[in-house]
Structures are given as structure tokens and as C-alpha cells.
Amino acid sequence: MSLGSVPLKYRIQIDRQQCMQCMRCVDNCSYGVFREEDDGNILIDSRKCTACHRCISMCPRDAINLSERPVDYRSHPLWTPEAREDVINQSRSGRIVLAGMGNAKDYPIIYDRLVLDACQVTNPSIDPLREPMELRTYLGQKPSKLDIRKQENGEIELNTKLSPNLELQTPIMIGHMSYGAISLNAQLSLAKAAAKTDTYMGTGEGGLHKDIYPYQDNMIVQVASGRFGVDINYLERGAAIEIKIGQGAKPGIGGHLPGEKVCTDVSCTRMIPAGSDAISPAPHHDIYSIEDLAQLVRGLKEATEWKKPVFVKIAAVHNVAAVAAGIARSSADAVVIDGFRGGTGASPKVFRDNVGIPIEAAIASVDQKLNDQGIRNKVSVIASGGIRNSADVAKSIALGADAVYIGTAALISMGCRVCGNCYRGLCPWGIATQREDLVSRLDPEVESEHVANLINSWTLELSELMGAAGINSIESLRGNRSRLRGYMLDEGTLDVLQVKPVGA
């Protein structure tokens, strides 16, 4: 007996009086929701809709309307529509359910339950429009002390050898999204934005396309378990190198780029055959201990003549603090922590929504562990996974991060509607696709300006938040948990965060 169909997730309706049958909806929908009939009418198949909003955005008469769950199941506290549909889909296919973007469960967002302190009378606030605000950030190892010598002519000579650091004018960077997972035009937009805002962008594990070479001084190249696109040319072009061990959206497993997204350009950049699946193993097959990791870190530094900092990216899980302490002792220059709300092009839904811990708790526990062991200066901490606004940036830094990566926010600034269908390769906004007709919809010149505007506006807001807290340097905000208060957070969470409750 057939399982039958499930209720519609979305219903698309056209106001026929408003519609002028320009067929823009037909041309713009890559999922096949709209079809022109022989008589010139537009036929709608709502079951194919992903709520990407492309048709609504492009309709010149605002004639298209979208409603969510127009017909639903009988309500049940345990068997939600999502739970039932996952069972039905897996009964039909016998396969893993894939999903894009970040964790979609209704877990409390700790950022929204943290408030920032502000100064008033005895410790006045600072006006960032009139006073200098120092947001310059250095990522890399810092010496525990400086050895200086005064020369005969009175000048000071520094005898301490400093490790290579990345200098950012804002503590906001663009996270790793590979060529293959996103289009070349999307990567170009992000690269141009990083150059405009004097920050850095991650390449993801897909190698570095030659069109990105002009922006290599603002790129952090990634080495993942699949080693896609990794050679000495790739390593030397990055301003820094990042070893990807784990990812917040899928801790403990590897990656998979479907063969249909491996076009000729992607295959050349990744150094794999066109049309073949790009599968990253769960572990690096040369890393089974901190000692093995230290060998790879030193190997990458040796290959690039010790001129570039090397980062290590891990997923936020229960033992993240202990792992970060090991990384700090491995000669790595920064540890990247990716929380369970981190985005992705494709992840098993069960991993995306049920594995990992919030980035807020991970940052605080890592910062505390490194301080307790007296090695905080040996490694910078970069937070990623669910950073939505400048307040999240400020709270991340106050909890102990040196800088943050943003990913989904940058994609939204380019048109992404977070429909979560990235893995299908049909993104109508030209972002998560390799189809030439769809990729051409995204103009790197225009979208790079949007991403740069986002970073600049967040940076301005961060200055305002620091000024309100009486802080004029990002160094004074870093790890300053006394500037945070928890609201409606349980005692255990407050203890992990090392944050006092409101009113205390």
C-alpha cells in the first residue's frame, strides 16, 4: 500500500488579477514550481517550493503569495510534522536525510540570554565618534614576555622573536565555504569584500580557483581530510593555513560534495575527476593524536618557511576545552571553534540537529581552560557558528574569543533566504550552485559591496557597544566576562560561562 503524499510545506498562490503573465516566476524558479501552459496560463506545483523567495522578489506586480503549512497534521506534542515526514521519507528511500544551513531545533539561544553591561556616572562611557576606538586584532601566538634592550643612541631594540600574526582591522572574518559548495561568483564576492574591509576569508576545503588569486593576501587556505586542491602553490598563496578537523554542523564526520556539483572548473581546482563525488573522510588518516597534529602543523610551517600562522578548526563538543589546550601545545597559532549552529551546504539532518554544543559555552570553557593552564597567549581563539549580528560578536569576544567567523550572515547579505536546500545545487540566487545560468545571476561587484557594508556596519556597532561599556580597545573586551550578565539562564550554564546573573 502506498504511503501517500504528505501535507504541503508551502503553498504558492498567484493573484490572477495582479499577474500580468510576464513569466518571470517561470524563468527564475530553478525548482520547477511554475510552468507555462500552452494557453499562456501559469501552472503551479507547490510541492516543489523551498521558500527561497526568488519568485516573490522578482515579481514586478507583487502578485505571488507564499504560506507555510497551509494544511497540517493533527497536532501532537511528540510526533511533530517534521518527525513524521522524516519517517515517511526514510521509509520511501532507505537513506540518510540531508539538510543544509545550521541547527534548526528550538534550543534556547544563549546569546539572546546574555546582556551587555553599560557605564554611567562614576565610570563614564566613551563616545566612539569623538574618541579613538582600537579594533585592530592580531591572530597568532603572543610571547609571554618581551626582551628589550636599550641601545646607546636611546632607541629600543626588541630581542624577542615574534611569531607571524594576521593583522585585522576588525575582529570579523568570513568563514570557510568551499568552491563547489558555493559558486565561484559567490566566492569572488566574499573575497572582494574581505579585501575591501581589510579582513580575511576562508577558502573552505575546495582549493583556490585562479580567479581568486588577486585576493590571496586576504585568504586563509584550508587543509581538510580530503586534501582537495592542496599543493605547495596553494599553501604559499594563503595569508594563513587552517587545518580542518571538525565542523559544527556535523561533528565527528567528514564531508561530501555530490558529483553533480563537480563541474570542470571545480574538478580542476579540487584536483579530482569531473562528476565524481568529493568525499572527505571523517578523520585525517595521518592524525590520531595531538602529537600527530603537531607534526602536520610543523610540516605546513616548514613547507611555507615558517612565514604563515597555522590554525586548527574543531567542532564544539563536550571536551572542546581539553582538545583546544592540546592544540595550543601543538605549535598551532589559533584554534577555531565551530558551534552547533554553524552552517553547512549538506549534513545528515540527525547530526546537524543533535550533535555538538553551543558556541557560547565552548568559547567560555576554552578561554578558561587556557587561562588556567597559563597558555592563553600561545593561541588565538576564533569563534564561529551562528553569529547573527554585532551583539553576538561583542558577546563572543567578552566570553573569550579573539575574533569571529561569519558564514550564513554573509550569504544572506548576498540574497540567501536560508531555505536549507544548498545540497541540491539548484540555488536560484546563484550562491550554492554550479549551474552556469544560475551562477550568472550573482554579480560579484554588487554583492561584494553588500557583504562589505555588513562587515562595516557591524564594526561600527561594535565600536558603539564598546564605548557604552567604557572600553576603547578590543583587547580590554576580550575575555572580560564582567561586562556580561545572564538573564533566564540556569546556574549550571552561568557557571560554565563564568557570568553573573542580572542584578548581581
Side-chain angles (χ1 to χ4, degrees):
M1 184 182 292
S2 171
L3 286 168
S5 60
V6 297
L8 294 173
K9 281 189 178 180
Y10 313 104
R11 173 174 286 152
I12 292 287
Q13 293 175 304
I14 295 177
D15 184 335
R16 301 293 175 175
Q17 290 185 323
Q18 283 289 101
C19 178
M20 63 183 197
Q21 295 184 309
C22 64
M23 301 301 162
R24 286 194 187 179
C25 55
V26 177
D27 294 338
N28 276 277
C29 182
S30 53
Y31 294 103
V33 174
F34 304 95
R35 189 173 79 245
E36 183 182 3
E37 293 187 294
D38 293 338
D39 60 3
N41 286 323
I42 299 171
L43 190 67
I44 301 171
D45 184 354
S46 291
R47 289 199 176 277
K48 295 180 178 179
C49 181
T50 65
C52 73
H53 280 218
R54 181 75 185 187
C55 60
I56 294 171
S57 302
M58 296 300 160
C59 179
R61 299 289 290 272
D62 292 328
I64 301 173
N65 183 53
L66 183 152
S67 56
E68 189 172 8
R69 294 278 177 197
V71 179
D72 217 335
Y73 300 87
R74 178 180 77 85
S75 60
H76 193 285
L78 177 63
W79 290 102
T80 62
E82 180 185 23
R84 280 180 260 196
E85 286 173 11
D86 284 350
V87 169
I88 291 170
N89 287 332
Q90 290 190 291
S91 299
R92 285 186 173 129
S93 68
R95 297 179 180 178
I96 293 172
V97 176
L98 292 180
M101 294 302 172
N103 189 307
K105 291 286 187 182
D106 190 24
Y107 297 120
I109 300 171
I110 296 177
Y111 282 129
D112 291 343
R113 298 190 180 189
L114 289 173
V115 290
L116 289 153
D117 198 11
C119 296
Q120 294 193 76
V121 179
T122 56
N123 184 21
S125 56
I126 298 170
D127 184 353
L129 294 177
R130 293 175 174 81
E131 301 289 337
M133 305 297 287
E134 184 58 81
L135 271 74
R136 185 167 38 187
T137 301
Y138 291 92
L139 298 179
Q141 296 181 38
K142 315 294 190 301
S144 56
K145 62 179 182 179
L146 292 177
D147 179 19
I148 58 175
R149 184 173 65 87
K150 192 171 183 179
Q151 297 177 342
E152 293 181 1
N153 60 5
E155 292 186 2
I156 300 297
E157 181 183 4
L158 178 65
N159 290 333
T160 305
K161 186 178 180 180
L162 300 178
S163 299
N165 273 232
L166 289 190
E167 180 183 337
L168 296 75
Q169 297 307 311
T170 174
I172 302 166
M173 299 186 291
I174 300 169
H176 289 260
M177 291 171 278
S178 68
Y179 176 42
I182 63 174
S183 67
L184 180 58
N185 279 3
Q187 269 210 340
L188 270 171
S189 301
L190 299 172
K192 288 173 181 284
K196 287 177 182 178
T197 54
D198 208 358
T199 187
Y200 294 87
M201 166 203 161
T203 61
E205 61 171 311
L208 190 66
H209 192 278
K210 62 182 184 301
D211 288 358
I212 310 291
Y213 287 0
Y215 310 99
Q216 64 187 38
D217 291 343
N218 297 89
M219 305 300 292
I220 301 170
V221 297
Q222 191 175 79
V223 176
S225 61
R227 303 291 203 268
F228 298 123
V230 177
D231 61 11
I232 190 61
N233 175 59
Y234 174 69
L235 297 175
E236 289 182 339
R237 287 189 181 276
I241 302 166
E242 181 172 304
I243 302 168
K244 176 193 168 188
I245 302 294
Q247 186 176 342
K250 40 189 174 182
I253 64 173
H256 179 196
L257 182 69
E260 52 265 27
K261 293 183 82 171
V262 182
C263 62
T264 304
D265 250 10
V266 170
S267 75
C268 291
T269 305
R270 290 199 173 215
M271 302 179 188
I272 58 174
S276 65
D277 288 4
I279 298 174
S280 305
H284 289 246
H285 290 308
D286 51 356
I287 300 176
Y288 290 93
S289 66
I290 289 296
E291 291 76 18
D292 290 343
L293 174 64
Q295 243 184 351
L296 179 58
V297 170
R298 288 194 291 269
L300 292 171
K301 289 189 172 188
E302 184 70 32
T304 52
E305 300 178 343
W306 299 83
K307 294 178 180 178
K308 302 175 189 295
V310 174
F311 305 165
V312 178
K313 178 180 178 179
I314 56 175
V317 291
H318 75 281
N319 65 339
V320 65
V323 174
I327 290 170
R329 291 179 167 87
S330 73
S331 300
D333 299 278
V335 56
V336 181
I337 309 166
D338 199 20
F340 78 158
R341 292 192 187 275
T344 182
S347 169
K349 190 163 172 279
V350 67
F351 272 80
R352 186 197 68 175
D353 294 346
N354 296 284
V355 184
I357 66 172
I359 186 60
E360 303 95 322
I363 303 166
S365 61
V366 166
D367 182 61
Q368 191 64 47
K369 174 74 78 174
L370 296 175
N371 276 310
D372 290 346
Q373 296 189 6
I375 53 174
R376 182 63 181 87
N377 64 294
K378 288 184 174 295
V379 67
S380 294
V381 176
I382 302 166
S384 69
I387 308 292
R388 305 158 299 168
N389 49 50
S390 59
D392 287 353
V393 176
K395 293 170 188 178
S396 298
I397 294 171
L399 286 170
D402 293 83
V404 303
Y405 272 142
I406 63 171
T408 303
L411 298 186
I412 291 172
S413 72
M414 295 195 296
C416 169
R417 296 309 200 258
V418 197
C419 74
N421 284 266
C422 320
Y423 58 92
R424 294 176 63 183
L426 296 173
C427 177
W429 295 93
I431 300 171
T433 180
Q434 303 305 324
R435 252 179 57 179
E436 291 185 13
D437 60 319
L438 301 178
V439 172
S440 64
R441 294 177 179 180
L442 195 152
D443 185 338
E445 291 299 328
V446 173
E447 300 311 332
S448 65
E449 195 66 32
H450 291 157
V451 178
N453 285 344
L454 178 73
I455 293 172
N456 286 331
S457 61
W458 283 15
T459 303
L460 289 171
E461 288 180 337
L462 182 58
S463 295
E464 294 283 352
L465 289 169
M466 287 168 52
I471 293 171
N472 64 359
S473 169
I474 201 75
E475 293 281 348
S476 299
L477 180 63
R478 185 173 305 119
N480 192 346
R481 292 192 273 277
S482 65
R483 309 312 275 162
L484 295 171
R485 290 295 184 270
Y487 180 60
M488 295 178 66
L489 288 172
D490 62 80
E491 189 175 344
T493 303
L494 288 171
D495 186 51
V496 170
L497 298 174
Q498 294 286 290
V499 170
K500 293 180 180 179
V502 287

